Amino acid sequence: MGLFEDYHPLKGKTFQILKPDGTLQPDSKPPISDQEIFHLYQKMLFIRLADQRALILQRQGRMGTYAPIWGQEACQVGSAAVLQKGDWVFPAFRELGATLMMGIPLKTIFLYWMGNEEGSRASEDVNVLPVSIPVGTHPLHAVGLGWAARLKGDAIVTIAYFGDGATSKGDFHEAMNFAGVFKTPTIFFCQNNQYAISVPRSIQTASKTIAQKAMAYGFDGIQIDGNDLFAVLVATKEAVEKARSGGGPTLIEGVTFRFGPHTTADDPTKYRKDEEIEPWKPLDPMIRLRLYLKEKDLWSEEVEQRFTEEAQKDIDQVVKDAEAVPAPGVEEIFKYVYAEMTSSLKEQLAYLKTTL
Amino acid sequence: MGLFEDYHPLKGKTFQILKPDGTLQPDSKPPISDQEIFHLYQKMLFIRLADQRALILQRQGRMGTYAPIWGQEACQVGSAAVLQKGDWVFPAFRELGATLMMGIPLKTIFLYWMGNEEGSRASEDVNVLPVSIPVGTHPLHAVGLGWAARLKGDAIVTIAYFGDGATSKGDFHEAMNFAGVFKTPTIFFCQNNQYAISVPRSIQTASKTIAQKAMAYGFDGIQIDGNDLFAVLVATKEAVEKARSGGGPTLIEGVTFRFGPHTTADDPTKYRKDEEIEPWKPLDPMIRLRLYLKEKDLWSEEVEQRFTEEAQKDIDQVVKDAEAVPAPGVEEIFKYVYAEMTSSLKEQLAYLKTTL
Amino acid sequence: MAKLNMVEAINLALREEMERDNRVVVLGEDVGREGGVFRVTDGLQEKFGADRVIDTPLAESGIVGTALGMALYGLLPVAEIQFDGFLYPCLDQITNHIGRMRNRSRGRFICPLVIRVPYGGGIHAPEHHSESPEAILAHTPGIKVVTPSTPYEAKGLLLSSIRGHDPVLFLEPKRIYRAIREEVPEGDYTIPLGKARLVQEGKDVTIIAWGAMVREVLNAAEQLRGDKIEAEVIDLRTISPMDVEAIVTSIRKTGRGVIVHEAPKTCGLGAEIIALINEKALLSLQAPIERVTGFDIPVPLAKSEHYYLPNSKRIIMAIKKVISF
Amino acid sequence: MAKLNMVEAINLALREEMERDNRVVVLGEDVGREGGVFRVTDGLQEKFGADRVIDTPLAESGIVGTALGMALYGLLPVAEIQFDGFLYPCLDQITNHIGRMRNRSRGRFICPLVIRVPYGGGIHAPEHHSESPEAILAHTPGIKVVTPSTPYEAKGLLLSSIRGHDPVLFLEPKRIYRAIREEVPEGDYTIPLGKARLVQEGKDVTIIAWGAMVREVLNAAEQLRGDKIEAEVIDLRTISPMDVEAIVTSIRKTGRGVIVHEAPKTCGLGAEIIALINEKALLSLQAPIERVTGFDIPVPLAKSEHYYLPNSKRIIMAIKKVISF
Ligand SMILES: Cc1ncc(C[n+]2csc(CCOP(=O)(O)OP(=O)(O)O)c2C)c(N)n1
Ligand SMILES: Cc1ncc(C[n+]2csc(CCOP(=O)(O)OP(=O)(O)O)c2C)c(N)n1
Ligand SMILES: [Mg+2]
Ligand SMILES: [Mg+2]
């Protein structure tokens, strides 16, 4: 695995292919065709628009707390794009992009954040777990599932998404350690967006990179430019192929920035100065793709506008559909606690109905 | 800190001064005078004898489950020897050596393993926490106390002892991470005795060394020959001085071997072949010290025998004293749950008395 | 005297106590520059510096485990766990160490620290942000468990918690954080732990509640005045140790009782209260005690949360049931 | 038919089920080459290989969190937590994930796994090796909690637990592990979850117990025959969901009850049972239900453990008290 050696975390390099100005690093080439790049760019744009819409809906009181992904589109689209049918995704709570890519309908995602239990229902053919709120706890599930697949001889991979804050949790450690010992086919994708709510990366851990934490567990780690779609595609693909062929887990640290608030409940000006945000703005993952695609005559203001308008219409429809879904009936909250409702739950439900 | 750079975990070297044959590594010298070495050797011998006695007492039904330290004397004596009054020790459950060094009377230690609550009582001037059974949980306490001292401006250090198995626990990770972030004056002393009960080091973690786990937290780690008293003295002293002067935490991995069973409840032949133990036998920390001291005319069979006989007599007396301590009265188990006994505990105690 | 909400009252208590006693330190996720996700610690870091109001890494066991170590050294840590649902990762430290350190060391080592936890439902939060773990904590020896129900109460109980010599789990009903304003004096006053509050006297039925449910109960009691039902309302204030005396005295008087809590019904604190009444006042009972509680299911997402939470309608039904028994 | 102790019976159940269904895997600390610290999984790794009987790193949250992931993929993990006191580090995974995965995903993702935990006191073990966490688990939605009291029961209940579609906490009374031998058939039999066992009929008083306490209760009941007291003894078997019917039916018959458990009294399962009786059979009660339980203190070290554990003397006193009320 040349890549992981070349970018061994202690070498102090961050893997990048597409520079912020839209040109390529020397001796680099895009990992996919320009048409495919354009396609993924459109996905990213759609995702950004959907993300913005969620924020608006929340402000209008039409959606609950929401965790925006603004700025993290390349991490999510690039990593999800290299997965195959049969692979499994374990999101945290800020993965509108990755989960949409994997086939969770936007309507479902919106329903979830609207506080509708229906928003937790994944269709049978989509291997994406529901949102996992307790930070850092779900990588263990990705490890366990990948481990089970390995025991069964199935060549699938599992990917867990989490943030820089999550790396401080005990469960993250236990997941990494199990993955290392049992060589599970797991990609640990850390979106290091520099903050855990208000706590900056510097207070989260004293290690220079998050990537180097992999060394505590005996497997590869790599720090990549998480705002560079190409780097994300290449690094994740390499990790996925390694995992699929029995080479074990990889920790990918995508260096990125959360442009928005932590969630709609949060006021980032309390802890983050404008001066700190400014340098990140030109590093926006969309900008460099636009520059690149413009150079290839695949992008223009006009193309962007047309796509945006259509996307907004689609999103309008999704919002409409989601809002048309009735709030779940009272049975819905009792129905899935056990395989069969226990008699005491039946009794409680019956009582509850008499009080409505 | 030259030592920690020279022995950076990724360099693949294990720090050693005194070789198993009793001679010194080239360009090395003993860190303390020969008289002092002899003194510490005697401590180690006493500890080994006390440890063996505990095993015998257990087999005679005079003591409960006991976790022997046989083979780990150098780790414990060497590390505790460089601590100062005012420093704090956080043992796990296999630290007869270290805690005795710090001033916990053998009688107290025996009482504890005899299942007498009095064995948990440390005298006011001894900064040694009671035995901590839940593996990997107490390093957090060492970090918190060291942190508090640092906030108060006190130049003390804290040391937590734990095993290779403990490094897999989430709490170990959180402790290491907090220590790194807040630069607490903490020594993490891992006695890697190759086993966690029956689970060998190779299944515990895939990282090549335990020392390198420090790199995940941004501070120094070092692997040392834990059966070499001199290496333990030097490495711990260096870590202690660094910590005391504000340089933050250190992880020390003392490579050693548990010659005895995990505890008296355990049958190591179930999981450990004789062939595996053989190569460790000549690495016994006592042997090389004997060879070294003999060379200096400080050790002989006769000296050993005289000391042993006296020590056994002392230990006889300790056993006698410990066995003379009455089992705690019924109040003793209610008295220390809260600062003041709650009325419901008073009621429960009163009831219990009526049933005796 | 200023009218404060609960967030402001707790903030005031912390501020005053930190001024008074420099052993007090605050630590937790986002408690510093952000001033806490609920703004409970707002302004404290500016005033007392980053050494006394400490933003920590995201690790609950780390927070309370290091707080224990701090307390051993004589500091008085007030740790914050950001939401009830994130208390579970530190239950091991709480149960196996914090609640046992005094006992294990025969009184030599103590850890009088406070763990503040915004708890309970009613704010339409995401999953894991609406839990009520008080029964689990009350089942745990060696810790005290406190739940204020109003701003005034919060300040007085918090000061007692910080000054006490035992570890305290301080559960703050987040639904009440900004819902009530009342006069909260500046300066020192404490409310003793272990004593319930008789919120309202009445002769017909005893209603026992704590935290956010006290307000629901008072609403219900108010509505019942029209029916000429006089409810006696007890705010437990301290969950552990419980004020058994207050409960029993009231039940002996009224002969009827309703217990209201948000936690799941089975093995909730309501069960223990009924068991105590069974033991000490069974013969006074004129009807089975009713429990109005959450259900034995995960707290539902926002749109269905109202099904889960006890409300005045359910409380009134229960009161009528015990009265007409 | 062989007379087996509980260790052997559980071992047999695992062995047979692993033969029958290759989705069953066993994982935990020391379960493989050592065969478990109590030898419950003895010989299984030799027979089924290290891929199906897996020694894990020392990390309880890791064990149950990965077991959850395995279950999602269709394996049937039987995880072992080595001792009750080490369950706390994985309570977060149990409460916040295992008990909620089905609900959270609206039935799409399920994790029918079994977590075996040797529990309870009486073997003179060190601190943290004698805990009884059943009430905490019974307060947790989405999981089932099972406690066998004899070898025969253990096998039948474990097979049901493995084959069921819900996660099960399987609490094994370690004190009974080698204390009782009884006939345990080879081959398939199951005991349904959620049904209590009427161990002994009687008309004077109902005694409810589970796990190791059943034996103490039977001792006590035996001794009371001389006093012409006929005790009805119920072994709960499943702690959650509880067989309320069985409890209520018996109490209606006897009018008197004693509940025996090792866990601390306050908020123990005994409280819930009393609350249920209060709700469903108050008028049948001729005396307050008595609780014979552990105390609200940490389980003492070996030399003082006997003070803590309920014994037949205390049970007899309680029975006499309710009978002479
Ligand atoms: C165990 C736990 N503790 C606290 C929280 C509250 N919380 C939600 S998100 C968050 C910060 C997460 O930071 P990070 O892992 O970097 O992810 P990001 O939000 O930046 O995507 C916190 C503290 C939680 N959800 N879970
Ligand atoms: C949290 C926890 N899990 C399990 C145990 C049971 N147990 C006691 S010691 C031990 C192995 C510890 O291994 P290690 O950390 O290497 O220390 P050593 O015993 O080798 O000194 C285990 C599994 C425990 N005490 N605590
Ligand atoms: Mg982040
Ligand atoms: Mg070890």
Side-chain angles (χ1 to χ4, degrees), chain B residues 120 126 137 154 171 174 347, chain C residues 61-62 73 97 104 108 280:
Chain B
S120 300
V126 175
T137 54
D154 297 347
D171 274 7
E174 298 190 8
E347 206 176 279
Chain C
S61 194
Y73 201 70
H97 288 303
R104 183 187 293 152
R108 161 82 160 92
K280 296 180 192 284

Side-chain angles (χ1 to χ4, degrees), chain B residues 163-165 191-197 258:
Chain B
D164 42 319
Q191 296 177 72
N192 172 6
N193 63 6
Q194 313 305 327
Y195 278 90
I197 310 188
R258 189 193 82 208

Side-chain angles (χ1 to χ4, degrees), chain B residues 72 93-95 133-137 162-167 169 191 193-197 204 258 262-263, chain C residues 92, chain D residues 29-30 58-60 82-83 85-86 89 129:
Chain B
Q72 303 179 205
F93 47 81
R94 195 189 298 287
E95 271 74 41
I133 300 275
V135 168
T137 54
F162 52 89
D164 42 319
T167 66
K169 286 279 297 177
Q191 296 177 72
N193 63 6
Q194 313 305 327
Y195 278 90
I197 310 188
Q204 204 56 249
R258 189 193 82 208
H262 168 67
T263 67
Chain C
D92 187 40
Chain D
E29 296 156 11
D30 306 291
L58 206 169
E60 287 75 14
Q82 203 161 72
F83 283 92
F86 314 131
H129 288 68

Side-chain angles (χ1 to χ4, degrees), chain A residues 67-68 72 76 92-95 132-137 162-169 190-199 204 258 261-263, chain C residues 29-30 37 58-60 81-83 85-87 89 127-129, chain D residues 92 96:
Chain A
Q72 303 180 204
Q76 299 196 15
F93 47 82
R94 195 188 299 287
E95 271 75 41
S132 173
I133 300 276
V135 169
T137 54
F162 52 88
D164 42 319
T167 66
S168 295
K169 285 280 297 181
C190 177
Q191 297 178 71
N192 171 6
N193 64 5
Q194 312 306 325
Y195 277 90
I197 309 189
S198 73
V199 178
Q204 204 56 247
R258 188 192 81 208
H262 168 68
T263 66
Chain C
E29 295 156 12
D30 306 290
V37 293
L58 205 169
E60 286 76 14
I81 297 300
Q82 203 161 71
F83 283 92
F86 314 133
L87 190 66
E127 203 191 343
H128 308 287
H129 288 69
Chain D
D92 187 38
N96 279 341

Side-chain angles (χ1 to χ4, degrees), chain D residues 91-110:
Chain D
L91 268 188
D92 187 38
Q93 286 289 340
I94 292 172
T95 310
N96 279 341
H97 288 304
I98 289 174
R100 290 160 174 260
M101 196 48 90
R102 177 188 292 275
N103 183 65
R104 183 188 292 151
S105 67
R106 309 279 84 200
R108 162 83 161 91
F109 297 118
I110 63 171

